[in-house]
Amino acid sequence: MTSAPGPAPGGPVPLGSPPYQQTPHPQTGYPPPGHPQTGFPPPGYPQAGYGTIAPPSSSLAGVDAWLARHGLVVDIVLAVLGGLLLGGFSLLTGASIGTPGTIAVVLASIGMPFALAVRRPYPVASAVTVNALALLHFTVGNSLLPVDLLIYVSVYSTTVHAPRWARRLSLGSALLGSALVAASLATGWAGGRLDMLLSSTFAFVGLAAPAVICWALGLLRLSTRQRRESLADRAARLERERDQQAVIAVAAERARIAREMHDVVAHSLSIVVAQADGGRYIAAQDPEAAARVLETISTTGRGALRDMRRILGVLRDGDSSPTAPQPDAADVATLVEQVRSSGVPVELVRSGAPQELPTGMGLAVYRICQEALTNVMKHAGPVQRLHVRVDLAFHPGWLVVQIDDDGRGAGAGSDAADGSGHGLIGMRERVALYGGTLTAGPRPGGGYRVNAAFPLPPATFRPAGF
C-alpha cells in the first residue's frame, strides 16, 4: 500500500530545502519553526511573534468606549441645554409673529433640540425631523432662527452615524436650505441687482460653509472610528488565530510524542519477548547462553527506560538534566547489531555516496528502520528460516530506505496486513513530513517489504559518518 504522493509543485517543501534549511530541535528532532507541515514552533523554540496581541489604544478609543456606554445620556443633556438656550432665544425672536408663525416657532424651538437626543440610535429620523421643522418655520415667514444652528449638528451626526445615502441627503438639504435663506434675505436688501446678487452669494457662502465643514469633520470622525474598529477586529482575530495555532501545536506535539513512545516501547518489548522466549528453552541446557539472554534483556530494558525518560524529560519546564541526542541514520548500524544479537539474521547494505542528513530526516530514517525490524520480529515467523536485509541507498536527490524479509509476513487479520497499524501510520507521517513516499506490503514470492523514499536537500556531498 502506498502513502500519499510527494509534494506537487507549490506544495510543502521538504525540510532542508530553501527556505527551510534550519536545523530541527536537537533533542526532539521536531521540524523548525514555520515548517509547512506544522506552521507553528514546537516547545523548545522561541515563540517569537506570538506574544499577547492587544487592540490599539488611544484617547479617542477611550472616549468612544465611554460614549458607547453613556451616549444617550449625553445627547439628552445636550438636547435640554439646546432647548433652553437656542430654543429660548428662538421663542423670543418669533413672539411678534402671528398665530401660525408662533406655532411653527414653538414647534421648531422644542422639536429640533429634542430630535437630536436620538441622533445616535436613529440618525435618519432625527435629521428628517430637524430639517422638516426648519422648513416649517421658514415657510411661515421666519427665515432664520437661532435654533437653526442645530442643522449643522444634524449634518455632523448623520455623517457619522447614518448610511451613505443619508449623509449625502443631509448635506444636500443643508445646502438647499442655505440657498433658500440666502435668497429670502437678498429680497429685502435695498440696492441694485448687483448688490442683491453679491449679498445673496455672501449669505449663501456664510450659511453653507459651516455645513460643509461639519460634513467634512463627520467624514474624518467616521473614517477614524472605522479604522480603529478594523484594527480592534484584526487584533481580536489574530488573538483567536494564535489560540488555534497553540491548540494545533499541542496536538502535533502529542502526536510526535505518541510516535516516539510507540517506536521505543514496541521495539524494545519485541526484543525482550523474543529473548525471553528463547531463554526459556535454553536455560536448562546452556546456562551461559541463558545468562547472555538475560543480559540482552537487561540492556534493552535500560535503553528503553533511558529513551522514555529523554522523551518525557523535554516536556519538563526548567529541566536542566543532560539528555542524549536523538538517534539518526548513522545509528542504523547499531540498531541492526542490536536486532542481530537477539537472534534475527539481519544484513545492512549501504550504497551510493553518503550525504549528511538534517537531524529530523536522520531520525525519521532510524525510526522507520526500527519499526520495520520490530514488525519483522513480531510477524515474520521463526528466525531459523528468516533473513532480513536493510538497504540504505543514496541516489542523486533521493535517499531510499528499504527493509526486506523472507518470512511469512503480517499475519492474517493483523493491523500490519492492511497498513492500518499505528506503526505504519507513524512511518507514513514521518515520510510525508519531508515530502517523500512510503510503500509497505507483501513481496512477490513471499515475505514483506517496506520502502521509503526521501527527497534530499541540495547540499555538498560529504561523508555522513557511517
Side-chain angles (χ1 to χ4, degrees), residues 175-387:
L175 295 179
L176 178 60
S178 299
L180 293 176
V181 172
S184 66
L185 293 176
T187 56
W189 186 265
R193 180 173 298 180
L194 180 60
D195 293 338
M196 183 181 301
L197 179 61
L198 290 175
S199 63
S200 62
T201 301
F202 282 115
F204 173 76
V205 172
L207 293 172
V212 175
I213 293 174
C214 289
W215 178 74
L217 291 176
L219 288 179
L220 179 61
R221 181 74 176 88
L222 176 65
S223 64
T224 303
R225 188 186 66 184
Q226 289 177 342
R227 178 178 177 274
R228 188 164 53 252
E229 290 175 352
S230 175
L231 291 176
D233 179 71
R234 180 174 178 271
R237 185 170 64 252
L238 290 175
E239 192 82 17
R240 292 193 298 270
E241 290 177 358
R242 188 197 64 175
D243 294 340
Q244 293 170 358
Q245 294 266 4
V247 172
I248 293 173
V250 170
E253 184 70 2
R254 290 180 61 186
R256 184 194 66 79
I257 294 173
R259 287 196 301 265
E260 294 291 319
M261 293 292 288
H262 172 272
D263 292 340
V264 170
V265 173
H267 176 74
S268 301
L269 287 182
S270 296
I271 293 179
V272 168
V273 171
Q275 290 288 316
D277 288 342
R280 184 174 54 187
Y281 292 107
I282 65 173
Q285 294 142 359
D286 192 348
E288 293 184 1
R292 290 195 299 271
V293 168
L294 293 176
E295 179 64 24
T296 301
I297 292 175
S298 175
T299 303
T300 303
R302 288 193 181 94
L305 287 175
R306 183 173 59 252
D307 289 341
M308 290 177 64
R309 291 193 187 101
R310 173 183 48 77
I311 293 172
L312 298 177
V314 298
L315 302 179
R316 300 192 186 101
D317 295 330
D319 188 358
S320 58
S321 58
T323 55
Q326 286 277 49
D328 58 14
D331 297 308
V332 172
T334 304
L335 174 67
V336 169
E337 185 62 32
Q338 183 185 31
V339 175
R340 188 184 293 129
S341 67
S342 68
V344 180
V346 185
E347 177 186 6
L348 175 62
V349 178
R350 293 185 286 258
S351 60
Q355 179 178 350
E356 187 172 350
L357 304 177
T359 305
M361 186 182 292
L363 174 63
V365 170
Y366 181 89
R367 292 304 187 196
I368 288 172
C369 293
Q370 184 183 53
E371 178 63 27
L373 292 176
T374 300
N375 288 338
V376 168
M377 289 187 289
K378 290 166 59 177
H379 304 296
V383 298
Q384 292 80 6
R385 297 187 300 272
L386 179 65
H387 182 265

Side-chain angles (χ1 to χ4, degrees), residues 389-401:
R389 173 169 170 157
V390 178
D391 286 281
L392 298 179
F394 284 88
H395 302 281
W398 288 89
L399 168 61
V400 178
V401 181

Side-chain angles (χ1 to χ4, degrees), residues 100-118:
T102 302
I103 296 176
V105 169
V106 171
L107 290 176
S109 301
I110 298 176
M112 292 176 68
F114 285 95
L116 295 180
V118 293

Side-chain angles (χ1 to χ4, degrees), residues 115-193:
L116 295 180
V118 293
R119 65 187 182 92
R120 296 177 194 271
Y122 305 104
V124 176
S126 174
V128 168
T129 302
V130 169
N131 285 278
L133 291 175
L135 180 62
L136 175 63
H137 77 71
F138 175 80
T139 57
V140 297
N142 289 278
S143 58
L144 197 60
L145 292 174
V147 78
D148 290 333
L149 291 173
L150 297 179
I151 294 177
Y152 302 132
V153 180
S154 176
V155 171
Y156 174 85
S157 301
T158 307
T159 305
V160 175
H161 302 291
R164 177 177 298 179
W165 64 268
R167 298 198 293 265
R168 295 175 177 175
L169 186 59
S170 178
L171 177 62
S173 300
L175 295 179
L176 178 60
S178 299
L180 293 176
V181 172
S184 66
L185 293 176
T187 56
W189 186 265
R193 180 173 298 180

